[in-house]
PDB file of all heavy atoms in Angstrom:
ATOM      1  N   LEU B 712     -11.597   4.940  37.152  1.00 73.00           N
ATOM      2  CA  LEU B 712     -12.926   4.210  37.365  1.00 73.00           C
ATOM      3  C   LEU B 712     -12.632   2.673  37.216  1.00 73.00           C
ATOM      4  O   LEU B 712     -13.556   1.926  37.276  1.00 73.00           O
ATOM      5  CB  LEU B 712     -13.984   4.592  36.338  1.00 73.00           C
ATOM      6  CG  LEU B 712     -14.326   6.067  36.544  1.00 73.00           C
ATOM      7  CD1 LEU B 712     -15.440   6.542  35.531  1.00 73.00           C
ATOM      8  CD2 LEU B 712     -14.726   6.459  37.951  1.00 73.00           C
ATOM      9  N   ASP B 713     -11.408   2.277  36.961  1.00 73.00           N
ATOM     10  CA  ASP B 713     -11.078   0.877  36.776  1.00 73.00           C
ATOM     11  C   ASP B 713     -11.520   0.216  38.084  1.00 73.00           C
ATOM     12  O   ASP B 713     -11.090   0.653  39.251  1.00 73.00           O
ATOM     13  CB  ASP B 713      -9.661   0.693  36.535  1.00 73.00           C
ATOM     14  CG  ASP B 713      -9.417   0.731  35.023  1.00 73.00           C
ATOM     15  OD1 ASP B 713     -10.345   1.028  34.303  1.00 73.00           O
ATOM     16  OD2 ASP B 713      -8.295   0.562  34.599  1.00 73.00           O
ATOM     17  N   GLY B 714     -12.215  -0.921  37.987  1.00 71.00           N
ATOM     18  CA  GLY B 714     -12.528  -1.733  39.268  1.00 71.00           C
ATOM     19  C   GLY B 714     -13.680  -1.183  40.025  1.00 71.00           C
ATOM     20  O   GLY B 714     -13.984  -1.702  41.027  1.00 71.00           O
ATOM     21  N   MET B 715     -14.182  -0.028  39.548  1.00 73.00           N
ATOM     22  CA  MET B 715     -15.376   0.517  40.266  1.00 73.00           C
ATOM     23  C   MET B 715     -16.561  -0.419  40.202  1.00 73.00           C
ATOM     24  O   MET B 715     -16.757  -0.966  39.061  1.00 73.00           O
ATOM     25  CB  MET B 715     -15.697   1.960  39.793  1.00 73.00           C
ATOM     26  CG  MET B 715     -16.563   2.703  40.663  1.00 73.00           C
ATOM     27  SD  MET B 715     -17.108   4.111  39.849  1.00 73.00           S
ATOM     28  CE  MET B 715     -18.318   3.524  38.656  1.00 73.00           C
ATOM     29  N   GLN B 716     -17.358  -0.539  41.285  1.00 75.00           N
ATOM     30  CA  GLN B 716     -18.485  -1.410  41.107  1.00 75.00           C
ATOM     31  C   GLN B 716     -19.619  -0.592  40.596  1.00 75.00           C
ATOM     32  O   GLN B 716     -19.910   0.458  41.160  1.00 75.00           O
ATOM     33  CB  GLN B 716     -18.874  -2.007  42.525  1.00 75.00           C
ATOM     34  CG  GLN B 716     -17.774  -2.964  43.078  1.00 75.00           C
ATOM     35  CD  GLN B 716     -18.503  -4.191  43.516  1.00 75.00           C
ATOM     36  OE1 GLN B 716     -19.493  -4.093  44.096  1.00 75.00           O
ATOM     37  NE2 GLN B 716     -17.836  -5.348  43.292  1.00 75.00           N
ATOM     38  N   ILE B 717     -20.201  -1.014  39.529  1.00 76.00           N
ATOM     39  CA  ILE B 717     -21.398  -0.325  39.040  1.00 76.00           C
ATOM     40  C   ILE B 717     -22.523  -1.344  39.157  1.00 76.00           C
ATOM     41  O   ILE B 717     -22.585  -2.354  38.446  1.00 76.00           O
ATOM     42  CB  ILE B 717     -21.090   0.127  37.576  1.00 76.00           C
ATOM     43  CG1 ILE B 717     -19.884   1.020  37.546  1.00 76.00           C
ATOM     44  CG2 ILE B 717     -22.413   0.674  36.952  1.00 76.00           C
ATOM     45  CD1 ILE B 717     -19.642   1.514  36.230  1.00 76.00           C
ATOM     46  N   THR B 718     -23.486  -1.090  40.107  1.00 78.00           N
ATOM     47  CA  THR B 718     -24.608  -1.955  40.200  1.00 78.00           C
ATOM     48  C   THR B 718     -25.959  -1.186  40.109  1.00 78.00           C
ATOM     49  O   THR B 718     -25.969   0.018  40.303  1.00 78.00           O
ATOM     50  CB  THR B 718     -24.580  -2.568  41.587  1.00 78.00           C
ATOM     51  OG1 THR B 718     -24.461  -1.430  42.624  1.00 78.00           O
ATOM     52  CG2 THR B 718     -23.449  -3.532  41.841  1.00 78.00           C
ATOM     53  N   ALA B 719     -27.037  -1.862  39.703  1.00 81.00           N
ATOM     54  CA  ALA B 719     -28.274  -1.244  39.744  1.00 81.00           C
ATOM     55  C   ALA B 719     -28.803  -1.031  41.163  1.00 81.00           C
ATOM     56  O   ALA B 719     -28.571  -1.764  41.980  1.00 81.00           O
ATOM     57  CB  ALA B 719     -29.260  -2.202  38.973  1.00 81.00           C
ATOM     58  N   ASP B 720     -29.408   0.191  41.355  1.00 79.00           N
ATOM     59  CA  ASP B 720     -29.913   0.451  42.748  1.00 79.00           C
ATOM     60  C   ASP B 720     -31.089  -0.393  42.966  1.00 79.00           C
ATOM     61  O   ASP B 720     -31.952  -0.701  42.294  1.00 79.00           O
ATOM     62  CB  ASP B 720     -30.350   1.908  42.778  1.00 79.00           C
ATOM     63  CG  ASP B 720     -29.149   2.881  42.623  1.00 79.00           C
ATOM     64  OD1 ASP B 720     -28.075   2.540  43.180  1.00 79.00           O
ATOM     65  OD2 ASP B 720     -29.285   3.980  41.971  1.00 79.00           O
ATOM     66  N   GLN B 721     -31.078  -0.905  44.285  1.00 83.00           N
ATOM     67  CA  GLN B 721     -32.098  -1.917  44.724  1.00 83.00           C
ATOM     68  C   GLN B 721     -33.303  -1.216  45.273  1.00 83.00           C
ATOM     69  O   GLN B 721     -34.347  -1.756  45.161  1.00 83.00           O
ATOM     70  CB  GLN B 721     -31.509  -2.812  45.763  1.00 83.00           C
ATOM     71  CG  GLN B 721     -30.401  -3.726  45.361  1.00 83.00           C
ATOM     72  CD  GLN B 721     -30.797  -4.921  44.727  1.00 83.00           C
ATOM     73  OE1 GLN B 721     -31.845  -5.432  45.060  1.00 83.00           O
ATOM     74  NE2 GLN B 721     -29.939  -5.443  43.772  1.00 83.00           N
ATOM     75  N   TYR B 722     -33.080   0.029  45.877  1.00 87.00           N
ATOM     76  CA  TYR B 722     -34.132   0.632  46.614  1.00 87.00           C
ATOM     77  C   TYR B 722     -34.654   1.877  45.824  1.00 87.00           C
ATOM     78  O   TYR B 722     -33.827   2.429  45.138  1.00 87.00           O
ATOM     79  CB  TYR B 722     -33.664   0.987  47.981  1.00 87.00           C
ATOM     80  CG  TYR B 722     -33.304  -0.260  48.737  1.00 87.00           C
ATOM     81  CD1 TYR B 722     -32.125  -0.817  48.800  1.00 87.00           C
ATOM     82  CD2 TYR B 722     -34.398  -0.943  49.424  1.00 87.00           C
ATOM     83  CE1 TYR B 722     -31.881  -1.974  49.542  1.00 87.00           C
ATOM     84  CE2 TYR B 722     -34.117  -2.077  50.177  1.00 87.00           C
ATOM     85  CZ  TYR B 722     -32.849  -2.636  50.104  1.00 87.00           C
ATOM     86  OH  TYR B 722     -32.603  -3.829  50.779  1.00 87.00           O
ATOM     87  N   LEU B 723     -35.842   2.168  46.032  1.00 88.00           N
ATOM     88  CA  LEU B 723     -36.438   3.241  45.339  1.00 88.00           C
ATOM     89  C   LEU B 723     -35.747   4.643  45.843  1.00 88.00           C
ATOM     90  O   LEU B 723     -35.395   4.726  47.025  1.00 88.00           O
ATOM     91  CB  LEU B 723     -37.913   3.383  45.597  1.00 88.00           C
ATOM     92  CG  LEU B 723     -38.685   2.468  44.807  1.00 88.00           C
ATOM     93  CD1 LEU B 723     -40.185   2.684  45.105  1.00 88.00           C
ATOM     94  CD2 LEU B 723     -38.536   2.759  43.199  1.00 88.00           C
TER      95      LEU B 723
END
Side-chain angles (χ1 to χ4, degrees):
Chain B
L712 300 182
D713 273 0
M715 196 189 73
Q716 292 228 326
I717 298 180
T718 52
D720 291 322
Q721 297 277 333
Y722 295 92
L723 283 180

